[in-house]
């Protein structure tokens, strides 16, 4: 059998619903319609009353999850597009994220954010907000890049007793495939060496992993061995694995699809610079999207985000210095 | 009501004496409505108070010590110095700990009621209290609409105290009456004179009964006046003197006391005795909390999540590096 990243997300939710009566799914169009991307297809039929359509009210959607979690439930919230989570932002960062610290009541809430650019989606259906949510204490932020991680990390997210922002990448939904569901997985909080190499490290996550792997292939043909680190989880950030990789290679390029100001790539560089400057043979670099809203037209969109081509250019620059 | 009045005033005194950090927010003038809410709720129900609900909290069962410890930042209080003043609660016991964006609490009450339905628990209700100001927030609208769609046993109580901080009703909403909003959500609306304890008990009691009986969300609008500033830093000089002189500006505590005396249910001597006993009770709690001191930053866990193994502690790594 073969299944896609999107099907893995559906299967993980089906399993969570099956194994734990405290789990329910709440979001716009998730019930009979099966979700805007079909990530909850048929789940309302299989689990009557536990996959519930919400009005277009992100604040109230997340707020309901907060209350349900206080009562011991484990809600999975589907926000239709990550971009729309900003209208539920207050409930996420000020309510869900602060409750455990303030009251000692843990809130096991999984908030699924279909994230990232796809051609033609434009400024309001393309955003990647992991850096924004990672800024706030009280949240765990996951960015699965593979079918296996989409499945195992979503299951783990539901089992975690804290609010988890689950950034699933829309570009990976349909074309990323695996032969089977994983039976074991790295735990949340551990990064993965997606490809070993000795000449430089590319640290990345989510859809950019696949661009980075393509660059590693391309440069391997030229005799350069690039190590690719898949962060998997941006909060917590596995600093140890990053530092160990940089210690091996002496060169670092960090790639993210988010905007350039601050964010995950800046955090990685700051940590490496402050703790491992002596490990570096060249200044660490980072590559992000351009500092504009995500454009609509494919010509602009492809130039806005990092691509295998722009990553390769940046990697060659790091290798030359 | 009396205990709430005394407790609030003692907190204000401590604030003026520099013993309380941040602010103190009193319920003066709103105790009748608040006490009615706390009295009509049962153990096992859900209560999301607003910042002037000392009376309702006490009636619902919050110990005086919880309030005092939170104001004084005692590590033994429910918030352990991590949050203060009115931002206190025991969520698992049905008392939510508000965030400052008060409208957000209504959807959380919805969530608790929704979860209970999923778990097959019936017969409980939730009350969310907000002021006239919160009715202008998107969160209020979203949550009332959500409660209506799900037909939840929610009672939303609006204490219309005429001002949101300094903003008068005329700059807050343009509808004829806040109760009209109920029609738009397809829920039942009620209006009550918030200065009259008996009326509040009747109307709040009726709304809670209807919600408990499965008649869906209820909206109660109470007309009253805040007889103090927004916080103790505020002299409320913006309040229209005509409002103060009108029926809405009556002191609900005096109205209730008058009623008891007129009915012959209490004498001036018994009332004086109640004040004394109550003052003693509050003073004891203050003495206890003051002995407990404040939280120790070196014993604080500084971890905002319950999954300790996923806590980065990277700030501590930085501290160590800096020696």
């Amino acid at each position: 059998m073969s299944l896609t990243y999107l099907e893995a997300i559906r299967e993980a939710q089906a399993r969570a619903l099956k194994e734990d009566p405290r789990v329910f799914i709440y979001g716009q169009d998730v019930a009979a319609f099966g979700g805007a991307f079909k990530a909850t297809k048929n789940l309302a039929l299989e689990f009557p009353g536990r996959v519930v359509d919400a009005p277009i009210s992100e604040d109230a959607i997340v707020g309901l999850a907060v209350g349900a979690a206080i009562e011991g439930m484990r809600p999975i919230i589907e926000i239709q597009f990550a971009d729309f989570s900003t209208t539920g932002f207050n409930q996420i960062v000020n309510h869900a994220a602060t409750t455990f610290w303030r009251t000692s009541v843990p809130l096991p809430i999984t908030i699924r954010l279909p994230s990232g650019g796809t051609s033609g989606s434009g400024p309001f259906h393309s955003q990647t907000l992991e850096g924004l949510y990672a800024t706030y204490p009280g949240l765990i932020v996951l960015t699965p890049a593979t079918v296996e991680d989409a499945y195992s990390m979503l299951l783990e997210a539901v089992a975690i007793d804290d609010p988890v922002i689950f950034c699933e990448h829309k570009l990976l939904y349909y074309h990323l495939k695996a032969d089977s569901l994983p039976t074991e997985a790295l735990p949340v909080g551990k990064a993965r060496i997606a490809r070993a190499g000795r000449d430089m490290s590319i640290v990345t996550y989510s859809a950019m992993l696949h661009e980075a792997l393509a660059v590693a292939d391309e440069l391997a043909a030229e005799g350069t061995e690039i190590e690719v680190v898949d962060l998997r989880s941006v909060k917590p950030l596995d600093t140890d694995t990053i530092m160990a990789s940089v210690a091996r290679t002496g060169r670092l390029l960090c790639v993210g699809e988010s905007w350039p100001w601050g964010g995950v790539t800046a955090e990685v560089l700051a940590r490496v610079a402050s703790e491992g400057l002596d490990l570096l043979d060249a200044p660490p670099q980072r590559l992000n999207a351009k500092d504009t809203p995500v454009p609509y037209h494919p010509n602009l969109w492809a130039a806005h985000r990092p691509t295998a081509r722009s990553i390769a250019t940046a990697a060659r620059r790091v290798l030359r210095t | 009501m009396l205990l709430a009045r005394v407790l609030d005033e003692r907190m204000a005194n401590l604030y003026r004496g520099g013993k309380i950090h941040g602010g103190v927010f009193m319920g003066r003038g709103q105790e009748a409505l608040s006490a009615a809410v706390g009295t009509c709720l049962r153990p096992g129900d859900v209560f999301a108070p607003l910042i002037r609900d000392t009376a309702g909290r006490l009636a619902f069962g919050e110990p005086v010590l919880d309030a005092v410890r939170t104001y004084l930042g005692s590590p033994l209080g429910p918030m352990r110095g991590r949050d203060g003043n009115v931002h206190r609660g025991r969520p698992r016991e049905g008392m939510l700990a508000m965030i400052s964006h008060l409208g957000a609490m209504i959807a959380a009450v919805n969530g608790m009621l929704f979860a209970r339905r999923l778990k097959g628990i019936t017969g409980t209700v939730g009350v969310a209290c907000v002021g006239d100001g919160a009715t202008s927030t998107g969160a209020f609208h979203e949550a009332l609409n959500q409660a209506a769609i799900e037909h939840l046993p929610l009672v939303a109580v609006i204490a219309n105290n005429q001002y949101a901080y300094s903003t008068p009703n005329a700059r807050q909403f343009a509808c004829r009456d806040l109760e009209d909003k109920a029609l738009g959500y397809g829920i039942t609306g009620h209006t009550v004179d918030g200065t009259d304890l008996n009326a509040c008990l009747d109307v709040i009691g009726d709304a809670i009964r209807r919600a408990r009986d499965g008649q869906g969300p209820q909206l109660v609008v109470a007309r009253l006046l805040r007889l103090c500033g927004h916080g103790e830093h505020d002299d409320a000089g913006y309040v229209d003197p005509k409002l103060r002189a009108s029926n809405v500006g009556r002191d609900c505590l005096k109205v209730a006391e008058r009623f008891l005396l007129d009915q012959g249910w209490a004498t001036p001597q018994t009332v004086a005795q109640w004040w004394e006993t109550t003052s003693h009770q509050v003073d004891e709690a203050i003495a206890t909390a003051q002995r407990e001191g404040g939280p120790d930053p070196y014993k604080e866990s500084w971890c905002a999540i319950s999954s300790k193994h996923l806590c980065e502690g990277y700030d501590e790594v930085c501290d160590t590096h800096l020696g």
Side-chain angles (χ1 to χ4, degrees):
Chain A
M1 94 183 229
S2 151
L3 84 168
T4 63
Y5 181 96
L6 179 67
E7 286 162 347
I9 288 167
R10 187 209 170 271
E11 290 308 310
Q13 292 180 103
R15 184 169 158 189
L17 284 161
K18 190 175 175 193
E19 292 181 351
D20 191 339
R22 299 170 298 178
V23 173
F24 70 93
I25 297 176
Y26 189 53
Q28 292 151 24
D29 307 304
V30 296
F33 189 62
F37 299 99
K38 304 298 171 202
T40 56
K41 188 178 173 185
N42 291 333
L43 292 180
L45 279 175
E46 289 173 43
F47 304 96
R50 294 170 64 199
V51 182
V52 181
D53 280 333
I56 305 181
S57 301
E58 283 78 7
D59 186 284
I61 289 171
V62 181
L64 181 141
V66 169
I70 288 170
E71 284 288 301
M73 303 297 280
R74 307 186 86 84
I76 300 173
I77 296 303
E78 177 177 305
I79 300 288
Q80 201 156 74
F81 285 81
D83 319 46
F84 304 165
S85 70
T86 52
T87 44
F89 193 63
N90 183 50
Q91 293 277 14
I92 298 173
V93 304
N94 285 319
H95 205 179
T98 65
T99 295
F100 171 73
W101 193 72
R102 295 165 64 239
T103 69
S104 301
V105 175
L107 295 188
I109 302 171
T110 300
I111 301 177
R112 290 180 38 237
L113 300 186
S115 303
T118 50
S119 173
S121 294
F124 312 114
H125 294 75
S126 304
Q127 296 169 18
T128 48
L129 301 176
E130 62 283 346
L132 181 67
Y133 288 110
T135 299
Y136 280 86
L139 299 174
I140 288 163
V141 185
L142 307 183
T143 49
T146 65
V147 176
E148 291 82 358
D149 276 353
Y151 180 77
S152 65
M153 288 167 77
L154 182 50
L155 275 175
E156 196 173 346
V158 176
I160 286 172
D161 275 338
D162 291 290
V164 178
I165 307 296
F166 191 83
C167 304
E168 50 194 56
H169 203 293
K170 303 196 294 290
L171 198 63
L172 307 180
Y173 269 168
Y174 307 105
H175 78 258
L176 205 59
K177 289 189 173 119
D179 293 334
S180 61
L181 291 171
T183 49
E184 55 184 27
L186 273 179
V188 158
K190 294 286 175 210
R192 179 176 68 98
I193 306 296
R195 177 187 174 120
R198 62 173 186 213
D199 296 325
M200 77 174 287
S201 302
I202 296 183
V203 173
T204 188
Y205 57 97
S206 192
M208 283 297 143
L209 172 72
H210 305 284
E211 305 289 329
L213 288 171
V215 171
D217 276 347
E218 182 186 333
L219 270 68
E222 300 167 15
T224 306
E225 291 180 24
I226 290 180
E227 180 151 297
V228 179
V229 178
D230 173 11
L231 290 174
R232 302 174 72 243
S233 138
V234 301
K235 191 171 192 180
L237 187 62
D238 183 358
T239 313
D240 291 347
T241 297
I242 298 168
M243 296 301 292
S245 177
V246 173
R248 281 191 289 276
T249 65
R251 291 171 200 274
L252 170 66
L253 172 66
C254 191
V255 182
E257 190 178 324
S258 277
W259 293 300
W261 206 98
V264 176
T265 58
E267 183 67 26
V268 168
L269 255 69
R271 292 187 188 196
V272 171
S274 64
E275 286 185 62
L277 196 60
D278 52 344
L279 303 172
L280 290 164
D281 299 325
Q285 300 295 328
R286 65 198 189 103
L287 189 62
N288 292 286
K290 293 187 189 307
D291 194 19
T292 67
V294 185
Y296 153 72
H297 195 276
N299 292 355
L300 297 178
W301 175 75
H304 179 265
R305 67 202 290 272
T307 55
R309 194 168 171 180
S310 66
I311 297 168
T313 305
R316 286 196 176 94
R317 204 163 48 228
V318 173
L319 287 161
R320 273 201 305 271
T321 46
Chain B
M1 285 174 74
L2 185 60
L3 181 56
R5 179 70 60 95
V6 171
L7 177 54
D8 277 355
E9 284 182 353
R10 283 289 199 285
M11 293 302 105
N13 287 343
L14 286 172
Y15 171 80
R16 285 190 281 269
K19 303 288 188 196
I20 286 176
H21 303 279
V24 168
F25 304 90
M26 292 173 53
R28 196 179 178 91
Q30 306 193 188
E31 292 98 333
L33 174 70
S34 184
V37 168
T39 306
C40 295
L41 285 171
R42 296 178 191 160
D45 286 336
V46 176
F47 181 29
L50 53 72
I51 66 171
R52 308 188 192 287
D53 271 327
T54 312
R57 289 170 182 270
L58 291 165
F60 188 60
E62 181 181 77
V64 173
L65 253 181
D66 270 16
V68 177
R69 279 173 165 160
T70 305
Y71 265 114
L72 290 171
S74 163
L76 301 181
M79 311 310 284
R80 298 154 296 158
R82 291 179 174 186
D83 208 342
N85 52 66
V86 292
H87 296 276
R88 61 180 190 271
R90 294 182 182 270
R92 285 267 166 86
E93 293 166 33
M95 171 89 78
L96 291 179
M98 70 179 73
I99 64 168
S100 296
H101 324 63
L102 190 69
M105 303 311 295
I106 310 172
V109 175
N110 288 349
M112 293 179 79
L113 300 171
F114 183 82
R116 288 173 181 199
R117 180 196 291 163
L118 288 180
K119 291 194 282 188
I121 298 169
T122 54
T124 64
V125 301
V127 170
C129 294
V130 296
D132 38 295
T135 66
S136 306
T137 66
F140 173 88
H141 166 69
E142 290 191 10
L144 283 194
N145 182 57
Q146 178 184 56
I149 289 165
E150 292 296 340
H151 201 68
L152 295 171
L154 170 79
V155 180
V157 177
I158 303 171
N160 180 5
N161 67 11
Q162 316 301 316
Y163 292 88
Y165 206 152
S166 78
T167 304
N169 276 181
R171 300 301 306 165
Q172 199 65 249
F173 54 87
C175 56
R176 184 186 58 84
D177 191 294
L178 285 174
E179 191 196 323
D180 294 347
K181 290 185 183 262
L183 187 66
Y185 296 118
I187 63 177
T188 310
H190 312 256
T191 294
V192 65
D193 174 357
T195 66
D196 180 346
L197 177 62
N198 285 317
C200 288
L201 286 167
D202 283 348
V203 173
I204 296 285
D206 179 48
I208 288 179
R209 202 174 309 114
R210 285 166 184 259
R212 214 184 289 283
D213 289 349
Q215 294 182 39
Q218 311 286 314
L219 179 71
V220 182
V221 182
R223 288 199 75 228
L224 40 79
L225 184 67
R226 154 166 49 90
L227 303 178
C228 53
H230 170 64
E232 276 312 281
H233 56 277
D234 171 25
D235 69 5
Y238 44 80
V239 174
D240 183 349
K242 286 192 204 115
L243 270 178
R244 288 188 202 276
S246 73
N247 185 72
V248 84
R250 298 192 298 172
D251 181 346
C252 60
L253 188 61
K254 285 188 182 150
V255 174
E257 185 183 318
R258 186 77 258 158
F259 178 78
L260 293 182
L261 296 173
D262 288 350
Q263 295 292 312
W265 293 349
T267 63
Q269 290 75 22
T270 13
V271 172
Q273 203 178 3
W274 289 341
W275 278 96
E276 201 184 316
T277 321
T278 308
S279 299
H280 186 66
Q281 185 186 351
V282 173
D283 287 342
E284 269 189 1
I286 291 170
T288 302
Q290 281 184 326
R291 276 196 299 275
E292 291 162 0
D296 180 351
Y298 297 101
K299 288 183 181 161
E300 175 62 51
S301 79
W302 300 113
C303 176
I305 51 177
S306 72
S307 316
K308 300 295 175 218
H309 66 291
L310 295 177
C311 203
E312 281 201 331
Y314 191 72
D315 43 349
E316 286 169 37
V317 173
C318 298
D319 286 350
T320 314
H321 278 268
L322 295 172

